[in-house]
């Protein structure tokens, strides 16, 4: 109950400060991390959470499932088909370069073995535009830049997941033939997750088509929710991968029923936000002074290089030959923060019991914390470069009624493979990428990544 009370207080503070966070270097994601750290054993000692506590695994599991399910519902396959070239470069070239670069740094600077080093690289490869909320979704920023950051971060979580699971199996105590069996089991789990994720919403859509069946308007949001709850339970009972199931189910549900998508969107965003906040609070409780003290000097060098060198260099290389100007390339290269997916994948590494799992988790956790500080404190100044003036979605003095803008997007953290945050793949990118001076088309006033379900962190 102490944890529940702490979560309620943190949630109240985060909501009350969300408008201020949208205009300044403050981030509500950072508030939850700091709040969790303050009430942990490292400071006030109000709650006692260790990496092997059941609440850590349950909270992270539920949060990532909720985020990926709601994120999947914002995937627009037609839009992705029309505007895929720049995000494809970032995903097919930039992401592997970042993974390999981080693995090299981790091995030679920190001293971890090769398998664990590549595991750290895979965990830190996904990005999250939650800390770029002051520029993502703003019409003053070129739409191709917004789209690149949004689609890249929405998909790379899902691309990293199989790699993380395979490397955890390879880094574990099993080896040889047993390891091959583990890889086979992982493949079966992923296949089952995809199959259940596609079949469940199709079945529900088929049932809803019967004349005698159908939900009254006020209960329509509960139909996708019921689908998600059933899917979550079935996946855990059958050992299918719930994360791949969640994302694929959200995407299929949105593609088969636009009405269900819009009915569920407000409820789904709220549930995903609450789940992410809870997971961030729990993760923050693990960020004790001892954890920061356990990281070697080489580890801190690796963290700094991951933020200021690995991500920027990998994305800049992937954008060579594109029509982005120098300023746009630099902004896209900088905003590669480690978000909610990295938090959950880091916890998976810690709980896997691999030989160097504790050292890997320490490096991952410190990198995420430093990334949150660095990126959440620079999005507002960079937004000014693009002449983004009104950063908050609440009125200032005599302003007129508030509009949903960046304030919505500074309220969570994140994680999932679909387009997300203030801009979904439903955004309206430039019709001709060659006209860099053409005014970018405004985005629809929908929820942000953090409030969209990948609202995600």
């Amino acid at each position: 109950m102490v944890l529940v009370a702490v979560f309620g207080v943190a949630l109240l503070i985060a909501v009350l400060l969300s408008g201020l966070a949208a205009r300044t270097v403050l981030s509500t994601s950072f508030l939850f991390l700091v709040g969790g750290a303050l009430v942990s054993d490292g400071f006030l000692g109000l709650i006692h959470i260790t990496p092997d506590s059941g609440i850590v695994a349950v909270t992270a599991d539920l949060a990532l499932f909720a985020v990926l399910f709601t994120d999947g519902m914002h995937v627009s396959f037609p839009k992705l088909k029309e505007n895929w070239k720049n995000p494809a470069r970032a995903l097919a070239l930039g992401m592997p370069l970042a993974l390999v670069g981080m693995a090299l740094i981790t091995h030679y600077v920190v001293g971890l073995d090769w398998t664990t080093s590549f595991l750290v690289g895979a965990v830190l490869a996904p990005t999250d535009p939650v800390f770029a909320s002051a520029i993502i979704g703003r019409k003053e920023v070129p739409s191709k830049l917004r789209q690149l950051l949004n689609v890249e971060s929405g998909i790379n979580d899902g691309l990293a997941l199989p790699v993380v699971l395979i490397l955890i199996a390879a880094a574990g105590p099993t080896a040889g033939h047993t390891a091959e069996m583990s890889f086979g089991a992982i493949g079966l789990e992923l296949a089952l997750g995809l199959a259940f994720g596609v079949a469940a919403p199709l079945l529900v859509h088929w049932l809803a088509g019967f004349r005698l069946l159908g939900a009254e308007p006020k209960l329509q949001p509960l139909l996708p929710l019921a689908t998600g709850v059933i899917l979550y339970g079935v996946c855990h009972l059958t050992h299918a991968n719930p994360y791949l199931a969640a994302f694929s189910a959200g995407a299929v549900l949105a593609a088969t029923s636009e009405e269900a998508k819009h009915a569920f969107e407000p409820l789904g965003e709220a549930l995903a936000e609450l789940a992410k906040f809870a997971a961030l609070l729990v993760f923050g409780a693990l960020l004790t002074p001892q954890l920061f003290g356990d990281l070697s000097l080489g580890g801190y060098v690796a963290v700094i290089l991951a933020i200021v060198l690995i991500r920027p260099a990998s994305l800049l290389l992937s954008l060579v030959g594109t029509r982005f100007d120098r300023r746009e390339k630099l902004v896209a290269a900088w905003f590669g923060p480690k978000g909610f997916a990295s938090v959950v994948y880091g916890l998976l590494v810690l709980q896997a019991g691999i030989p160097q799992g504790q050292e890997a988790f320490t490096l991952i956790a410190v990198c995420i914390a430093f990334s949150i500080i660095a990126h959440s404190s620079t999005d507002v100044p960079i937004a000014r470069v693009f002449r983004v003036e009104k950063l908050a979605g609440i009125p200032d003095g005599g302003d007129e009624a508030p509009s949903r803008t960046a304030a919505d997007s500074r309220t969570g953290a994140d994680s999932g493979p679909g387009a997300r945050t203030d801009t979904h793949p439903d955004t309206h990118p430039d019709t001709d990428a060659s006209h860099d001076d053409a005014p970018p088309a405004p985005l629809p006033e929908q929820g942000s990544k953090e409030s969209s379900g990948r609202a995600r962190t």
Side-chain angles (χ1 to χ4, degrees):
M1 287 300 103
V2 173
L3 182 60
V4 172
V6 168
F7 176 72
V9 172
L11 181 62
L12 177 62
I13 294 174
V15 172
L16 293 177
L17 293 181
S18 60
L20 176 64
R23 300 188 299 267
T24 65
V25 299
L26 183 65
S27 166
T28 48
S29 300
F30 182 63
L31 288 177
F32 274 88
L33 284 178
V34 172
L38 288 177
V39 299
S40 68
D41 289 329
F43 292 94
L44 300 179
L46 298 180
I47 59 177
H48 310 283
I49 294 178
T50 60
D52 57 352
S53 298
I55 191 172
V56 174
V58 172
T59 304
D61 184 50
L62 284 171
L64 188 56
F65 184 91
V67 168
L68 293 180
F69 184 73
T70 51
D71 277 356
M73 297 187 70
H74 290 292
V75 172
S76 173
F77 293 108
K79 291 297 180 182
L80 287 177
K81 185 178 179 180
E82 293 173 6
N83 307 279
W84 60 272
K85 291 184 179 180
N86 290 327
R89 279 175 168 263
L91 293 168
L93 182 59
M95 184 177 177
L97 286 175
L99 191 159
V100 173
M102 190 64 207
L104 292 172
I105 296 265
T106 303
H107 179 73
Y108 287 110
V109 177
V110 184
L112 298 184
D113 63 66
W114 278 114
T115 304
T116 307
S117 297
F118 275 97
L119 177 58
V120 171
V123 170
L124 295 178
T127 59
D128 193 331
V130 64
F131 306 115
S133 56
I135 63 172
I136 290 185
R138 303 312 303 261
K139 66 180 183 297
E140 298 92 339
V141 179
S143 63
K144 62 179 180 294
L145 174 59
R146 291 178 281 147
Q147 182 205 23
L148 170 65
L149 292 173
N150 200 40
V151 176
E152 178 204 10
S153 63
I155 296 178
N156 58 19
D157 293 355
L159 294 179
L161 176 60
V163 180
V164 170
L165 295 178
I166 290 173
L167 289 173
I168 286 177
T174 58
H177 179 65
T178 307
E180 293 176 3
M181 292 177 59
S182 299
F183 298 148
I186 291 173
L188 179 60
E189 290 177 4
L190 293 173
L192 284 176
L194 180 61
F196 289 152
V198 172
L202 289 178
L203 177 61
V204 172
H205 180 68
W206 176 71
L207 290 173
F210 282 92
R211 178 172 299 181
L212 296 179
L213 300 179
E216 61 174 315
K218 69 177 182 180
L219 294 181
Q220 283 181 353
L222 299 184
L223 190 62
L225 178 62
T227 305
V229 172
I230 294 172
L231 188 62
Y232 181 81
V234 170
C235 285
H236 281 277
L237 289 174
T238 59
H239 301 289
N241 187 275
Y243 310 133
L244 185 57
F247 176 72
S248 56
V252 172
L253 194 152
T256 56
S257 177
E258 191 74 17
E259 181 182 3
K261 169 188 173 181
H262 290 304
F264 177 70
E265 190 171 43
L267 176 61
E269 291 172 355
L271 292 176
E273 288 299 287
L274 289 175
K276 286 184 294 182
F277 286 153
L280 282 172
L281 185 71
V282 171
F283 179 71
L286 300 177
L287 300 179
T288 62
Q290 180 181 354
L291 181 138
F292 286 93
D294 288 341
L295 188 63
S296 65
L297 178 61
Y300 281 101
V301 172
V303 166
I304 294 173
L305 291 177
I307 296 174
V308 303
L309 176 62
I310 301 300
R311 158 67 185 192
S314 61
L315 195 69
L316 285 175
L317 286 173
S318 70
L319 294 180
V320 171
T322 63
R323 296 183 181 275
F324 287 95
D325 62 32
R326 181 173 177 270
R327 178 184 62 174
E328 293 165 354
K329 288 180 179 179
L330 291 175
V331 171
W334 169 245
F335 281 114
K338 316 309 170 190
F340 183 70
S342 292
V343 171
V344 177
Y345 297 163
L347 292 174
L348 291 178
V349 171
L350 181 63
Q351 295 165 357
I354 61 178
Q356 293 184 314
Q358 181 63 56
E359 294 88 341
F361 174 77
T362 301
L363 176 61
I364 292 167
V366 173
C367 188
I368 293 171
F370 275 45
S371 176
I372 290 176
I373 296 172
H375 293 100
S376 65
S377 62
T378 54
D379 64 337
V380 170
I382 290 177
R384 302 295 186 189
V385 175
F386 290 100
R387 294 183 173 85
V388 177
E389 297 299 333
K390 187 173 179 57
L391 294 167
I394 59 177
D396 295 324
D399 288 354
E400 295 181 358
S403 61
R404 294 187 70 183
T405 57
D408 294 321
S409 67
R410 294 297 290 272
T411 58
D414 165 323
S415 100
R420 32 195 213 190
T421 128
D422 301 330
T423 66
H424 308 306
D426 306 350
T427 60
H428 304 291
D430 299 321
T431 55
D432 186 352
S434 64
H435 300 305
D436 290 344
D437 297 330
L443 294 168
E445 294 188 6
Q446 300 182 28
S448 66
K449 167 184 175 212
E450 306 178 36
S451 63
S452 77
R454 190 192 14 76
R456 358 180 354 113
T457 225

